[in-house]
Amino acid sequence: MTELDTFIPKDESGITNGNVKYEITKGDTEAALGLNGQFDPFKARVLEHPVTEVGTLIHLLKSCLGTGILAMPLAFKCSGLLVGVIATIIESIICTHCAYILVVCAHELYKRSGRTAMTFADVAEEACRRGPPWSKKYSGLARRMVDIGIFITYFGTCSAYSVIVAKNFDKVTGYYWGTLDVRIYLLILLVPLIILCYVPNLKYLTPVSMIANGFMGVGILITLYYLVIDLPPIKSEQLTADITQFPTFFSITIFALEAIGVVMPLENNMRRPQKFIGLAGVLNQGLSVVTILYILVGFLGYLKFGNTTQANVTLNLPEDAYAAQAVQILIGLAIFCTFGLQFFICLEIAWNGLKGYFKKHATLANYVLRTVMVIVAVGIAIGVPTIGPFISLIGALCFSFLGLVIPILIEIVTFWEKGFGKYNWKIYKNIIVIAVGLLALIFGTKSAIEDIIDMYTSKPESMFFKNLTSLFNVSDSSMLNLKGNTSTILGNLTNLDN
C-alpha cells in the first residue's frame, strides 16, 4: 500500500442502503482483542512494508520542506523580524495541534469502528456517523467537504508550482537570452506538464520523486549559503511591519507549515502508530524541526534582502553567479517533478467522482480528464502569474479551513459524548482555534485577492498581450508604420481594380 492509497479519499462503494460494510484486515485476532477483550487496532493492523518512527520522521520532513520554505522571507517582510519569529512559533503550535487532534480522533474512531486505518475523509465521515445523533445525517457531507477541500488545495498548489517553475527558469534564461513574459513560459511548459501527468501510475513517479528531493535539498543548501554570507546589521525598522500586511504573513506561513494532508498517510503506514503522537512523538519532533528551519530561512532572507525580498527567495540570488543559476535550475526541476505528485492527488479525487459515467471508454476518458485538468491549472496560473498573492490565497482560503477548522470540528463531534475535559476547557480552546482559522480565511483571502487585483490595476504594462508586442520587438511606431504601409498597399490595389 502506497502513501497515496491511504491519502486519497475513497468512494463510498462500501455503503449500501445506508449500511456500512468494512473489510477488516486479517491479523492476530487474540492479540487485537487484548487482555480486556477490547479491539486493539494497532495490533490488528497488518502492513506489507511497515515504516519505523525514524522513517516516518524522514517522510514528514521531506513532505514539509518544500516550496513553502522559499516564501518565508516574504512572510517575514510582511511581519517584521521580531513579530515574525514569535508569530511563526504560535502559528506552528496551532497547526501542529490541529494535526495532532486529527490523529487522536482517528485512534478513537479505529476502536469504535473496528478499522485499522483511515484517510482524512474517512475520519471526518466516521466522526459524524459515530458521533451524537444530530451529526449522523452530516456524515456524507463531511466526507465531501474534505474531498473538495483537498482537491481545491492541491489543484491550486499545482497552479502555484507552475508559476514558480516558470519564474525560476526565466531567471536563468533571461540573463543569457533576455526575459520572457512569465505567461509565455507557462504556455511553453504546458506540453511538458501534460506529458508528465500522462504517467499511468504513481509508482512510476517514484524515481522522479527521489530525484526531485535531491534537487530541492541541494538547492536549499546553496540558498542558505547565500543567505548567511555578508549579512547586514539588524535595523530597528525591520523588527516590525505594517499591521495591514499581517494577514499575508499568516497566509504564507500556514501554506508553508500546514502538514494536514500527509498526517494520515504517514500514520497509516507506521509500524507503531502510537508513536506518531505524544509529547515526544514523531509529529511534534518533525514539525519542531520544520518550524526552526522556516524561522531561520525567513529571518535570514528578510535580513539579507530587506525590502527587495521577493516571493521566492531564490529570485533574489545574484543573476551572474553560476551557483545561484544552479539553484534556479535545480529548484525549478524539483518543483516541476513535484507537480506530478500533487496532480495525482487531484486526479484520483476527480476520477472517483466521474468514472461511473465512463465505463465503456474509461481509459480514454481518464486521459482526457488529465489533459483538461492540466490545461485549467496552467490557465489559472496564466491568469494569476504571481507567486506571493497566489500562495497567500491558497493558504488563507484552503489550508486555514482544511487544516484548522475541520480538525477542530472533528474533535468536537468525536468526543461530544465523552466530554471535553475538566471545566470543558477543550471547548474554549476549540473556539479560539476556530476563530483564528476563520479570521485567517476572511482577512487572508481578502488581502490576497486585493493584491491580485492591484497587480492588474496598478501595473497595466505587465498585461499579457502588451508583452507579446515586446516579445517580438514590435514597437508602437513600427506598428503605426505598418498600418500606414498597409493602407497604401490597399489603396494601390483599389486603384488597380478601378
Side-chain angles (χ1 to χ4, degrees):
M1 181 179 294
T2 65
E3 286 185 13
L4 189 67
D5 292 331
T6 58
F7 172 59
I8 295 302
K10 305 296 189 297
D11 57 21
E12 301 182 13
S13 56
I15 303 177
T16 56
N17 298 325
N19 298 320
V20 185
K21 298 180 180 179
Y22 296 118
E23 182 179 345
I24 306 298
T25 304
K26 294 182 179 180
D28 189 340
T29 307
E30 294 182 0
L33 290 176
L35 297 176
N36 57 3
Q38 294 183 353
F39 175 70
D40 187 337
F42 309 125
K43 292 181 179 179
R45 177 181 291 183
V46 176
L47 297 172
E48 185 177 354
H49 301 290
V51 184
T52 63
E53 289 88 78
V54 175
T56 303
L57 178 61
I58 293 173
H59 286 308
L60 179 60
L61 292 174
K62 184 176 66 177
S63 301
C64 294
L65 294 176
T67 56
I69 193 172
L70 303 176
M72 285 305 296
L74 176 64
F76 271 63
K77 178 185 175 183
C78 297
S79 65
L81 295 174
L82 178 61
V83 176
V85 171
I86 298 172
T88 301
I89 294 173
I90 295 173
E91 196 168 343
S92 175
I93 292 173
I94 294 174
C95 292
T96 304
H97 173 72
C98 290
Y100 188 98
I101 62 175
L102 177 65
V103 179
V104 170
C105 292
H107 289 182
E108 174 68 21
L109 294 169
Y110 288 164
K111 298 174 183 177
R112 296 185 193 179
S113 64
R115 303 176 71 175
T116 61
M118 291 185 188
T119 65
F120 190 176
D122 290 336
V123 175
E125 183 180 31
E126 283 297 326
C128 291
R129 179 173 286 120
R130 301 184 183 278
W134 58 265
S135 70
K136 298 183 186 299
K137 61 183 178 181
Y138 298 112
S139 59
L141 176 63
R143 169 179 282 277
R144 286 191 293 273
M145 285 177 60
V146 174
D147 287 353
I148 294 171
I150 291 174
F151 180 87
I152 294 175
T153 299
Y154 287 93
F155 195 73
T157 302
C158 286
S159 295
Y161 278 9
S162 61
V163 177
I164 296 172
V165 172
K167 291 202 171 185
N168 271 55
F169 287 163
D170 182 60
K171 188 74 172 180
V172 178
T173 59
Y175 176 74
Y176 292 101
W177 302 291
T179 301
L180 285 177
D181 188 287
V182 66
R183 295 175 175 88
I184 301 294
Y185 248 110
L186 287 167
L187 288 174
I188 295 172
L189 285 171
L190 179 60
V191 174
L193 287 173
I194 291 175
I195 294 173
L196 175 68
C197 294
Y198 275 177
V199 174
N201 194 293
L202 187 70
K203 67 180 181 180
Y204 297 118
L205 284 179
T206 301
V208 177
S209 176
M210 295 175 63
I211 295 172
N213 291 333
F215 286 167
M216 180 64 74
V218 174
I220 290 176
L221 288 176
I222 298 176
T223 302
L224 283 172
Y225 164 76
Y226 277 105
L227 295 184
V228 298
I229 59 174
D230 300 326
L231 276 175
I234 298 176
K235 300 177 183 178
S236 58
E237 59 267 24
Q238 288 183 302
L239 297 179
T240 58
D242 190 341
I243 190 64
T244 58
Q245 294 183 311
F246 192 79
T248 302
F249 161 82
F250 192 94
S251 300
I252 293 175
T253 307
I254 198 173
F255 175 88
L257 286 171
E258 192 55 69
I260 199 71
V262 300
V263 166
M264 292 310 300
L266 293 177
E267 187 275 346
N268 285 346
N269 285 280
M270 284 190 70
R271 177 179 297 163
R272 294 187 294 176
Q274 310 94 312
K275 298 292 184 179
F276 192 73
I277 55 177
L279 185 61
V282 172
L283 181 63
N284 285 347
Q285 292 179 30
L287 293 185
S288 296
V289 173
V290 168
T291 302
I292 294 172
L293 290 175
Y294 279 14
I295 290 175
L296 181 65
V297 173
F299 188 96
L300 294 175
Y302 178 46
L303 178 61
K304 174 79 173 182
F305 300 113
N307 291 329
T308 62
T309 303
Q310 298 196 43
N312 181 346
V313 71
T314 61
L315 300 178
N316 285 105
L317 301 183
E319 295 181 348
D320 56 345
Y322 291 130
Q325 293 172 2
V327 169
Q328 313 292 345
I329 296 172
L330 288 173
I331 290 183
L333 289 173
I335 298 173
F336 175 84
C337 297
T338 308
F339 181 99
L341 300 175
Q342 303 284 340
F343 178 82
F344 265 86
I345 295 172
C346 306
L347 176 66
E348 289 293 332
I349 295 173
W351 183 242
N352 281 338
L354 296 174
K355 62 184 178 182
Y357 299 100
F358 302 100
K359 294 181 179 179
K360 288 186 177 180
H361 305 286
T363 302
L364 176 62
N366 183 277
Y367 279 89
V368 170
L369 177 63
R370 294 175 188 232
T371 307
V372 172
M373 287 177 61
V374 176
I375 292 174
V376 172
V378 175
I380 293 173
I382 291 174
V384 190
T386 177
I387 300 173
F390 210 151
I391 289 177
S392 179
L393 181 62
I394 296 171
L397 184 63
C398 302
F399 279 118
S400 60
F401 184 71
L402 190 68
L404 301 184
V405 176
I406 288 184
I408 292 297
L409 295 178
I410 289 174
E411 184 189 40
I412 292 174
V413 175
T414 301
F415 295 100
W416 183 270
E417 296 178 353
K418 294 186 69 172
F420 300 97
K422 191 174 183 180
Y423 305 116
N424 290 323
W425 68 271
K426 290 183 180 179
I427 289 293
Y428 301 107
K429 176 265 298 180
N430 289 343
I431 291 174
I432 293 174
V433 176
I434 288 178
V436 170
L438 292 178
L439 287 174
L441 175 66
I442 295 170
F443 291 102
T445 303
K446 175 178 177 291
S447 176
I449 292 176
E450 287 176 348
D451 289 341
I452 292 171
I453 293 174
D454 182 66
M455 182 188 71
Y456 284 96
T457 56
S458 64
K459 298 180 180 179
E461 69 276 4
S462 65
M463 295 300 289
F464 177 53
F465 293 105
K466 291 192 175 183
N467 278 295
L468 277 178
T469 301
S470 62
L471 173 65
F472 294 105
N473 296 319
V474 181
S475 63
D476 292 339
S477 59
S478 61
M479 288 295 291
L480 291 174
N481 292 334
L482 178 62
K483 290 180 180 179
N485 293 335
T486 303
S487 299
T488 302
I489 293 171
L490 290 175
N492 293 334
L493 289 175
T494 304
N495 293 333
L496 288 174
D497 290 336
N498 292 331

